[in-house]
Amino acid sequence: LLYTIKFEVMFCLRNCSRSSVLKAINAPRHISASCVDANTGLTTDEIEYREAALNFARTELAPHMQTWDATEEFPIATIKKSAELGFGGLYVSPDYGGLELSRHEGSIIYEALSQGCVSTAAYITIHNMVNAMINTFGSEAQKEKFCPVLSSMDMLASYCLTEPGSGSDASALVTTAKRDGGKYIVNGSKAFISGAGATDLLVAMTRTGDKGPKGISALIIDTKTPGISYGQKEKKVGWNNQPTAVVNFDDVEVPAENVLGAEGQGFNLAMHGLNGGRINIASCSLGPAQQCFEDVIQYTNDRKAFNRPLNANQHIQFKLAAMATDITTSRLLVRQAAKALDAKAPNAIALCAMAKLHATEKLYKVCDDALQLHGGYGYLKSYPVQQFWRDTRVHRILEGTSEVMHMLIARDVLKHL
């Protein structure tokens, strides 16, 4: 298959003249015939899922990615349009409007979406995390009330775990939810919340009991509830079209029936969500790395230096080989971890940590190398490579830092001693 990349602005350089670089955007790519083919090993259905997501990425995301980044626009209409393909309820039962796909199938879709816009694809993963948590742990009443409107994206969701004083040590959170008859009174703050101020529903981890993980409960909170306010929108290096802010709770009243799962079960729910989230964010590193690689393959072929294409140089060839290897090994590990999570394998937590660690570290380097191979042009904002580079940097921090992933992996390999 020959794929066509439909960026509104794309420059392919010939010789050393910028005035001669404007070229037809619909140039075919031959990656699908190589060892970096993302369809390798997929079933017919999985290829169809990927093609649907990739087409959406090329037509609805990629043409606007750089504008959204520059204007910091949260593309709500486009995000909601993805629900027409079922992307608002990937893991949710069809009874509540979802597709009920596996984590592996979801990973394939997120990878394809992130080829068009990393930040938008990443938000869609967060929305799906919330919807999946309610579908998995919610009461029948909660599922009926929330899952259909989340699957259709009539409501958008945010996930609230991190606090100003607790990041990696999530069990140290201090936002309180005190029982008062048929409701909880919530006070505290959550930090680095994706979609803050623009979404309709929150799943927030709160302290309903003593210190430690067993005192944490998850609450479903409507953002229209009085007492919710937001800090200023953070100015970030990347993910600029996705609002990020502090969410403040000041005597927010939440009905007792909005406890997700049982009281005291919140930390386990949070960790369950993070295992899937690590697969998702690793998948959202695969897409930009794949796109950067496809772009740099074309660029190093078209760009001439010393009277020959850049990719005629052995050093460039070796660099491309290393990039291809990192993409393919990362994809294999991410998909293995996703399948382990689907199978509830005993080593799934460690494999999710491995996938997140390996993919986010190696694939950020792929984007960095692609920028380097573009030379000075790669540092210009008219070239998408710099945005992929900026957007993937945070993947080594969120959903558990690389350092925490090392801890989880080491804990698994040493636990039997």
Side-chain angles (χ1 to χ4, degrees):
L1 297 177
L2 299 180
Y3 294 117
T4 301
I5 306 304
K6 296 183 177 178
F7 282 112
E8 273 187 349
V9 181
M10 183 70 69
F11 299 93
C12 293
L13 301 184
R14 291 190 179 281
N15 302 317
C16 296
S17 171
R18 185 171 183 176
S19 63
S20 63
V21 305
L22 296 178
K23 187 180 180 182
I25 293 173
N26 293 327
R29 306 299 175 97
H30 301 272
I31 295 297
S32 60
S34 76
C35 57
V36 196
D37 182 3
N39 284 340
T40 300
L42 300 185
T43 67
T44 300
D45 285 347
E46 290 165 350
I47 290 172
E48 289 178 356
Y49 292 142
R50 180 175 178 272
E51 290 300 315
L54 195 59
N55 182 64
F56 186 86
R58 288 171 172 168
T59 58
E60 303 294 338
L61 302 183
H64 311 291
M65 178 185 81
Q66 291 170 275
T67 300
W68 292 336
D69 177 72
T71 61
E72 299 187 1
E73 176 187 351
F74 190 43
I76 291 176
T78 302
I79 290 169
K80 291 188 173 185
K81 191 172 183 179
S82 74
E84 297 174 9
L85 297 172
F87 295 165
L90 291 183
Y91 314 119
V92 172
S93 167
D95 293 339
Y96 308 111
L99 295 180
E100 206 169 35
L101 299 183
S102 66
R103 289 288 176 177
H104 178 240
E105 291 162 333
S107 170
I108 293 163
I109 289 170
Y110 294 141
E111 176 185 342
L113 289 176
S114 63
Q115 277 194 243
C117 181
V118 176
S119 179
T120 304
Y123 171 74
I124 292 173
T125 74
I126 295 166
H127 174 88
N128 273 277
M129 176 193 290
V130 171
N131 200 3
M133 289 177 73
I134 297 173
N135 180 76
T136 303
F137 300 105
S139 66
E140 192 60 36
Q142 289 171 343
K143 295 176 187 179
E144 290 178 355
K145 181 177 181 179
F146 297 114
C147 289
V149 291
L150 290 173
S151 296
S152 66
M153 289 186 165
D154 290 331
M155 295 184 78
L156 297 179
S158 293
Y159 179 66
C160 301
L161 174 62
T162 300
E163 295 185 359
S166 63
S168 295
D169 185 10
S171 65
L173 65 85
V174 296
T175 294
T176 59
K178 295 184 178 180
R179 185 70 181 257
D180 182 13
K183 60 183 180 292
Y184 287 86
I185 309 299
V186 182
N187 284 281
S189 297
K190 295 294 181 178
F192 301 110
I193 304 306
S194 293
T199 53
D200 309 290
L201 200 71
L202 311 174
V203 165
M205 299 300 157
T206 62
R207 186 158 300 284
T208 55
D210 294 334
K211 293 181 179 180
K214 293 183 179 180
I216 296 172
S217 300
L219 297 180
I220 304 170
I221 306 176
D222 190 315
T223 59
K224 296 184 180 66
T225 307
I228 294 177
S229 62
Y230 303 93
Q232 67 178 9
K233 188 169 74 171
E234 304 290 0
K235 292 289 185 181
K236 308 187 297 291
V237 172
W239 280 30
N240 286 321
N241 77 325
Q242 186 185 125
T244 303
V246 169
V247 180
N248 300 304
F249 302 97
D250 185 11
D251 289 335
V252 174
E253 297 185 3
V254 181
E257 61 262 27
N258 280 21
V259 173
L260 183 59
E263 186 172 300
Q265 194 183 3
F267 188 77
N268 290 337
L269 269 62
M271 295 303 101
H272 179 275
L274 285 177
N275 289 327
R278 286 163 186 159
I279 295 297
N280 297 345
I281 211 63
S283 303
C284 286
S285 294
L286 278 165
Q290 179 80 20
Q291 190 60 56
C292 283
F293 186 72
E294 293 183 14
D295 291 346
V296 83
I297 286 287
Q298 190 69 46
Y299 177 85
T300 55
N301 187 68
D302 293 341
R303 174 74 186 216
K304 304 296 193 300
F306 306 104
N307 298 315
R308 62 177 182 170
L310 287 182
N311 64 13
N313 294 281
Q314 190 178 63
H315 174 76
I316 302 297
Q317 294 172 4
F318 283 9
K319 177 66 71 175
L320 295 174
M323 294 164 72
T325 301
D326 285 340
I327 292 170
T328 298
T329 56
S330 295
R331 181 176 287 126
L332 290 170
L333 184 52
V334 169
R335 292 179 180 177
Q336 180 188 3
K339 290 177 179 178
L341 196 59
D342 287 327
K344 297 181 173 59
N347 61 351
I349 293 174
L351 286 173
C352 289
M354 283 182 173
K356 201 268 183 184
L357 173 66
H358 184 87
T360 59
E361 293 281 345
K362 294 293 186 180
L363 299 176
Y364 172 75
K365 182 62 164 56
V366 168
C367 295
D368 186 64
D369 287 341
L371 190 155
Q372 185 72 17
L373 290 174
H374 275 79
Y377 292 106
Y379 204 63
L380 301 181
K381 286 200 171 180
S382 53
Y383 287 77
V385 63
Q386 53 76 33
Q387 187 175 334
F388 287 128
W389 173 69
R390 286 186 290 110
D391 283 347
T392 55
R393 179 58 182 87
V394 74
H395 295 184
R396 295 161 62 191
I397 299 172
L398 50 79
E399 306 289 10
T401 64
S402 293
E403 291 74 20
V404 170
M405 297 305 100
H406 279 107
M407 291 168 55
L408 294 174
I409 297 163
R411 184 182 301 165
D412 183 78
V413 298
L414 296 174
K415 67 183 179 183
H416 299 298
L417 294 179

